[in-house]
Amino acid sequence: VTKRRGKDGYVLRSSGLNFKFLYTPNNATFYQMLFLKSFVIFVGLALLAMLIDYSIRLYRERKDLIGEINSLSVIDRRKNLRDFVLGIRKMSEVGELTRKVKALQGRKLKIVLVEIFDSDDEGLDFKNFTLAREYLKESLSTESVYEHIDIDYKSIAFIIPEESDSVIEDAFHFILENIGQKYSVELIAAVSNEFVSVESFPQEYITCKKILDAKFMAKGRKVLFSENIKSGKLILTYPIETEAKLVSKLLNGNLQGAKKIVDEIFIDRINPEAMDKKDIKEFTGLLYNTLNRVVVQLKEFESSLQCENLDIESITKTGDLDKIRVIFNELITEICKQKKTSEQDENEAIREKIKSYIDNNYHLDFSLDNLADYLGLSFKYTSILFKKVMGDNFKNYINMYRIEKAKEILKEKKEIKIKDLAEKLGYNSSNTFIRIFKKYEGISPTQFNPEEILEK
């Protein structure tokens, strides 16, 4: 070795070798270099792993997003279909319909509308209907192309290829019977007329709704057809929604509103020619039940009414529809008359109670809340009731009452101080009293002269 060249190595003396420079690494430098390269490799691998993981997650998220978009598209198409069937949107306003409906186009179709038999049943558990609806979908999914439409919380519709009435009745009767046993939910179905054009969906849905109006006359049948009504096998009386409206009008004493509903029942919904004696008896039974429901509720909330004087059974003692209508109108007239009389008596009692409270408390700074507590009613109802029975709102009435009291006191005590007068009237500030007095009388309390008023 001739000489050392820094830390890099040595220059060799011998020229017989193929090289003249020998590298001899420093151990510390070597390990530092090894660590640095290893660290770089490790970081590189870590970054590669992160990149791979990110790519995988990005791929999965993209796949999920595409799935969600597709799901939203399906939901949107189903909503389009429901809105179109319900008549909410026109065909021109509807976007893409479902694939099953597309597959059904050009074929003869029918709509089967299934709903809860009595949705007003207090013991009904709507969770069971949700389970029953899913069971119904699964049961029909094994058939050919059946499309379902979730209408609302109590009904679902199916669009099915045209089949004979007997086949449809057998299939749905069997499924609805099973649902009744399995989920304790009584369902009933209505089948539309046959149609081909998709544009007929709304009209045939209405047909199903009209058929179901007669469900309380179905006499145990699970599947109803329009032919049943046309032939007189089922009599279209009035649905439970109509009864609810009639009961509401009677409980509110609204005779005119009640008579309009009665006209709707007798003129628009009853077909006398299709009714025999048995049908009329069942119809009068429905009318009796409606009136009985009203009487029961009146007895519960209006104890002062003379409900026992109402001979509602008289409606069941004739088989003539014209006489039934006359008797029914007489009964609802008497109910509304008694309701009005009772309401007037009740209003008078409340008026006296309110006046007594104001007479005893006008000198205090009381509010509508205090009056509501005294009456045992809610703030909102007390506000409405006060205006109804007193003829003015609470604030205006109290101010006018106190101003009249102030004028009486000023006649007796001309030298009374305004501050003392304000306190006697329940005002917490003399300025407030002066402002209100001036608002109603046009002058301040100090300018008030009872003698001038008497002269005028």
Side-chain angles (χ1 to χ4, degrees):
V1 176
T2 58
K3 61 179 180 179
R4 177 168 181 150
R5 192 167 73 183
K7 296 179 180 180
D8 295 333
Y10 303 90
V11 177
L12 301 178
R13 180 184 300 124
S14 172
S15 61
L17 301 174
N18 291 329
F19 57 88
K20 289 188 177 182
F21 180 78
L22 176 65
Y23 171 70
T24 57
N26 179 282
N27 287 338
T29 304
F30 173 76
Y31 287 119
Q32 288 176 1
M33 194 188 317
L34 181 63
F35 173 77
L36 181 61
K37 290 185 177 181
S38 299
F39 178 75
V40 170
I41 292 170
F42 175 77
V43 171
L45 290 173
L47 289 172
L48 181 62
M50 289 174 63
L51 182 62
I52 293 171
D53 180 64
Y54 176 75
S55 300
I56 292 171
R57 283 192 290 109
L58 191 64
Y59 171 76
R60 288 175 178 171
E61 288 176 4
R62 179 177 175 275
K63 187 177 179 181
D64 292 341
L65 182 61
I66 291 171
E68 288 178 13
I69 291 172
N70 290 335
S71 297
L72 288 172
S73 298
V74 171
I75 292 170
D76 188 53
R77 287 195 293 268
R78 287 201 169 281
K79 187 176 181 301
N80 287 340
L81 182 59
R82 186 196 64 184
D83 289 350
F84 173 61
V85 169
L86 294 178
I88 298 173
R89 298 171 69 183
K90 297 178 181 177
M91 193 64 190
S92 58
E93 300 171 341
V94 173
E96 190 179 6
L97 295 176
T98 64
R99 292 176 182 173
K100 284 188 178 180
V101 169
K102 286 183 179 180
L104 287 166
Q105 286 188 31
R107 301 169 67 177
K108 293 180 180 179
L109 305 173
K110 287 188 178 181
I111 290 177
V112 181
L113 179 61
V114 181
E115 71 175 25
I116 298 171
F117 184 80
D118 185 2
S119 58
D120 287 345
D121 184 359
E122 293 182 357
L124 181 65
D125 187 349
F126 283 98
K127 291 181 180 178
N128 286 353
F129 175 65
T130 301
L131 297 173
R133 183 164 52 189
E134 294 306 312
Y135 176 81
L136 192 57
K137 291 177 188 177
E138 291 175 7
S139 300
L140 293 171
S141 65
T142 56
E143 304 294 332
S144 55
V145 187
Y146 278 26
E147 179 60 297
H148 70 272
I149 309 166
D150 291 313
I151 302 295
D152 53 29
Y153 70 98
K154 64 178 182 178
S155 56
I156 181 173
F158 292 89
I159 301 171
I160 64 174
E162 192 275 327
E163 292 180 1
S164 66
D165 288 351
S166 60
V167 171
I168 294 174
E169 183 170 15
D170 290 345
F172 277 88
H173 184 90
F174 177 76
I175 295 172
L176 298 185
E177 281 283 355
N178 284 347
I179 286 174
Q181 296 173 7
K182 191 178 180 68
Y183 300 106
S184 301
V185 178
E186 187 178 2
L187 301 178
I188 190 164
V191 184
S192 75
N193 300 315
E194 180 183 297
F195 61 95
V196 176
S197 173
V198 173
E199 282 75 11
S200 302
F201 283 179
Q203 183 58 46
E204 294 308 323
Y205 171 77
I206 291 172
T207 299
C208 290
K209 289 295 292 181
K210 287 182 177 179
I211 294 170
L212 287 177
D213 279 348
K215 62 187 175 184
F216 289 100
M217 302 290 285
K219 304 174 184 177
R221 297 185 64 175
K222 293 285 185 186
V223 185
L224 309 179
F225 298 85
S226 57
E227 288 75 14
N228 299 137
I229 296 172
K230 290 176 183 177
S231 64
K233 293 178 184 176
L234 294 174
I235 307 304
L236 190 58
T237 57
Y238 55 94
I240 197 164
E241 290 84 359
T242 301
E243 184 195 47
K245 289 179 184 177
L246 179 59
V247 170
S248 176
K249 299 293 183 187
L250 293 175
L251 291 177
N252 287 316
N254 185 348
L255 181 59
Q256 289 302 112
K259 283 189 173 182
K260 284 183 180 179
I261 296 173
V262 172
D263 289 343
E264 178 188 335
I265 291 173
F266 278 87
I267 296 174
D268 298 338
R269 293 184 173 276
I270 298 304
N271 180 10
E273 296 178 0
M275 299 178 75
D276 55 24
K277 290 182 179 180
K278 187 177 180 181
D279 294 325
I280 293 174
K281 186 176 181 180
E282 290 180 353
F283 174 60
T284 54
L286 286 175
L287 294 174
Y288 172 83
N289 288 336
T290 298
L291 289 175
N292 190 55
R293 179 179 165 187
V294 173
V295 169
V296 168
Q297 292 191 46
L298 286 174
K299 284 181 179 178
E300 184 176 351
F301 298 107
E302 305 277 349
S303 56
S304 61
L305 291 183
Q306 304 297 318
C307 295
E308 59 274 4
N309 296 333
L310 291 170
D311 184 15
I312 62 174
E313 289 188 5
S314 61
I315 203 169
T316 63
K317 296 176 182 178
T318 178
D320 186 287
L321 281 173
D322 292 331
K323 288 182 180 179
I324 290 170
R325 184 176 179 180
V326 171
I327 295 170
F328 193 79
N329 276 320
E330 288 174 351
L331 289 169
I332 66 172
T333 301
E334 183 61 27
I335 288 172
C336 290
K337 182 181 176 182
Q338 289 197 29
K339 184 73 174 68
K340 287 278 186 186
T341 303
S342 173
E343 189 175 310
Q344 289 171 359
D345 293 342
E346 184 182 351
N347 288 346
E348 185 60 36
I350 291 173
R351 185 184 296 110
E352 292 302 318
K353 203 171 181 180
I354 291 174
K355 288 177 68 176
S356 175
Y357 181 84
I358 293 172
D359 289 340
N360 295 327
N361 295 278
Y362 73 89
H363 60 287
L364 302 174
D365 184 19
F366 71 92
S367 66
L368 185 60
D369 269 323
N370 302 128
L371 178 61
D373 290 339
Y374 170 73
L375 296 174
L377 303 171
S378 70
F379 175 87
K380 186 175 181 180
Y381 183 66
T382 302
S383 176
I384 297 169
L385 190 62
F386 189 97
K387 190 170 184 179
K388 182 179 180 181
V389 301
M390 305 304 288
D392 204 346
N393 65 60
F394 174 80
K395 186 177 180 180
N396 200 45
Y397 184 91
I398 297 301
N399 282 333
M400 291 179 66
Y401 182 93
R402 283 172 170 161
I403 295 304
E404 291 302 316
K405 284 290 181 183
K407 288 157 68 175
E408 290 176 12
I409 294 170
L410 285 170
K411 289 177 186 178
E412 297 173 3
K413 300 178 180 180
K414 298 178 183 179
E415 304 302 324
I416 190 171
K417 293 180 179 179
I418 298 300
K419 182 180 179 182
D420 295 336
L421 180 57
E423 289 180 356
K424 279 181 173 290
L425 297 168
Y427 290 105
N428 53 21
S429 165
S430 56
N431 289 334
T432 303
F433 167 61
I434 293 169
R435 178 175 53 79
I436 292 174
F437 192 96
K438 194 170 184 180
K439 176 184 175 182
Y440 286 91
E441 296 297 320
I443 56 174
S444 68
T446 55
Q447 295 173 313
F448 179 75
N449 190 335
E451 294 178 359
E452 290 182 4
I453 293 174
L454 287 171
E455 286 175 6
K456 290 177 183 178

